[in-house]
Amino acid sequence: MTEQSARRPRSRVTPLTVGLVLATAGAATRPFSWPATALVAVAALGAMVLTFRGRIVRLPRTARLGRGLAMWSALLVAALAWEVYALLRQPALNRPSHEHPTLSTLLDPALEQWPLRFAGWLVWLAAGWWLVSR
């Protein structure tokens, strides 16, 4: 067995295990609490570390790529601006406001039950892993 084939199953099991542990811990926390925020920060920090450790692949510059990059960047900036504005307009960082809802506030009613919260964490972590692994 070669070194790469021996390493392949482990490389898939580790992120899956970490994801299940984070999803279980996240689903067990109270929404908008400091432990939930800390788990989100740990997951985001881990994603950033994995992103910067990866190799950079230079894509050929095309007009289509430039337009797509501009469009997705504008959408991301608009969504982040809305989130930051709504977050800063809340009475407290750990208390949601229905007058200025963040995405978390809007999704909270759908994710009240533990199985749905667990599924929500899994979807969020899977989407993050998909973005990081590209």
Side-chain angles (χ1 to χ4, degrees):
M1 185 165 13
T2 66
E3 183 182 325
Q4 188 169 2
S5 64
R7 200 173 55 149
R8 192 173 298 139
R10 182 178 166 201
S11 68
R12 288 190 179 126
V13 171
T14 302
L16 183 62
T17 303
V18 170
L20 287 172
V21 168
L22 276 172
T24 302
T29 61
R30 200 170 41 90
F32 307 106
S33 65
W34 291 113
T37 303
L39 283 171
V40 169
V42 165
L45 182 63
M48 284 191 287
V49 167
L50 289 173
T51 299
F52 290 119
R53 285 186 60 202
R55 60 189 156 118
I56 297 173
V57 177
R58 300 280 180 199
L59 297 175
R61 247 350 227 180
T62 63
R64 182 177 181 205
L65 178 64
R67 285 191 307 271
L69 182 63
M71 181 186 72
W72 283 107
S73 297
L75 288 171
L76 181 63
V77 166
L80 289 174
W82 171 43
E83 282 287 306
V84 169
Y85 174 78
L87 184 66
L88 294 176
R89 300 290 295 172
Q90 292 180 152
L93 290 179
N94 60 350
R95 193 171 346 127
S97 168
H98 295 290
E99 290 82 30
H100 302 284
T102 61
L103 186 58
S104 299
T105 306
L106 294 173
L107 289 174
D108 192 47
L111 302 174
E112 283 181 337
Q113 304 300 320
W114 191 89
L116 295 175
R117 285 181 54 76
F118 180 72
W121 272 87
L122 284 178
V123 167
W124 180 72
L125 290 168
W129 180 255
W130 181 78
L131 287 172
V132 168
S133 64
R134 296 287 163 231

